[in-house]
Structures are given as C-alpha cells and as structure tokens.
Amino acid sequence: MKLTRIHTAPSLDFYASDLTMVLELPVAGTGVAAGFPSPAEDDEELSLDLNKALIKHPAATFYARVKGSSMRDAGIVDGDLLIVDKSLEAKDGDIAVCFLDGEFTVKRIALRQDALFLMPANDEFQPIRITEESDFLVWGIVTFIVHKPR
C-alpha cells in the first residue's frame, strides 16, 4: 500500500492511499493465544488482504499520522497511523478526527445533555466544549489504529 501525503497539520499528517494493489498475507488459521499458550494445531492455509479487511469505503478513507499524546490512554500515541472513514456518521463515544477553529485534532466524541465535548484520553489535557461559535466539523471516524509496539 503506497501512501501519499495530502495535508500536514500540527497534530496530524493526512495521507491518501493507493488501494489498487492486492497484498495477500498469510494468517495463522488457529489464532494466537493471548492467555496461556495452547498446543499448535494443523495450520490452515489462510490469507488476508489488509486493504479489504480494514477499509470498507475506499473513496472515503484516509490515513492520519498522530502527533502528540492527548489520546495516550485510549492506546493512540505519537506516530500511530489512524485509518479514518469520512463516510461514517459520528456517534457518542466514537474516536474522531475533528476540525476545530482551524486545527485538526483526534478526540473521543461525548454528547452530554445539550452539549458536545471532545474528550482527550490523557489527564494532562482538558475536555473541549463545542459551542455555537466554534468552527467545528467531524472530519471522519477512526476505524482502526496501526500501532508500532516498539
């Protein structure tokens, strides 16, 4: 998958992708135990194309590289790659890429009685209340997070 940078912002870099290439990768047919190890069984021959598995709406899907730590406790850290689907409708609790007063940010959407908040996942940051005066747009919904473990 080839990424093409389409926009750079202080908190996110945005990329479009070329999804025309099919890349079938082998998959462990029996799964991998996250608890106690289990005896290996006969491997089935399975494969997976990450483009097909992770992207449901190719024309509306973009990638964003995270800069910063405001979503650290949600498992989103500096350098992570977000898969963002612009065709999805935002719901309470979604993690979204939002455009607020001229800046992009990634936060969790929180609907509270008559107010909308953008919630960080790091105690060092404050929730952001969206007001009628805010220049605000939910740009897209984060559908997957690609995180490098080291």
Side-chain angles (χ1 to χ4, degrees):
M1 174 173 25
K2 180 180 177 184
L3 298 179
T4 304
R5 187 184 310 236
I6 56 174
H7 182 76
T8 296
S11 60
L12 295 165
D13 286 335
F14 293 90
Y15 301 87
S17 66
D18 177 4
L19 302 178
T20 58
M21 185 175 99
V22 175
L23 179 60
E24 298 278 341
L25 301 172
V27 176
T30 57
V32 178
F36 294 104
S38 63
E41 298 176 16
D42 292 337
D43 287 332
E44 291 181 47
E45 191 66 32
L46 298 174
S47 65
L48 172 72
D49 180 346
L50 289 176
N51 289 334
K52 290 179 183 173
L54 301 179
I55 298 170
K56 300 302 177 206
H57 306 108
T61 299
F62 295 85
Y63 300 89
R65 176 90 54 202
V66 176
K67 300 175 186 174
S69 61
S70 71
M71 296 300 288
R72 174 191 68 204
D73 297 339
I76 300 173
V77 299
D78 191 72
D80 281 356
L81 189 65
L82 307 176
I83 300 177
V84 182
D85 189 333
K86 292 183 70 175
S87 71
L88 299 177
E89 184 175 330
K91 296 178 182 171
D92 184 45
D94 281 344
I95 295 176
V97 172
C98 300
F99 184 79
L100 175 63
D101 298 330
E103 299 283 340
F104 285 98
T105 186
V106 60
K107 298 286 185 286
R108 187 175 302 278
I109 294 173
L111 298 172
R112 303 287 187 261
Q113 296 186 347
D114 293 333
L116 171 66
F117 289 88
L118 298 182
M119 304 298 291
N122 180 335
D123 290 341
E124 297 174 15
F125 295 83
Q126 296 295 314
I128 302 168
R129 182 185 178 112
I130 303 303
T131 65
E132 291 182 14
E133 294 77 33
S134 301
D135 180 14
F136 176 73
L137 168 70
V138 175
W139 193 80
I141 304 301
V142 175
T143 55
F144 289 94
I145 303 159
V146 179
H147 177 81
K148 189 174 180 179
R150 64 174 168 155

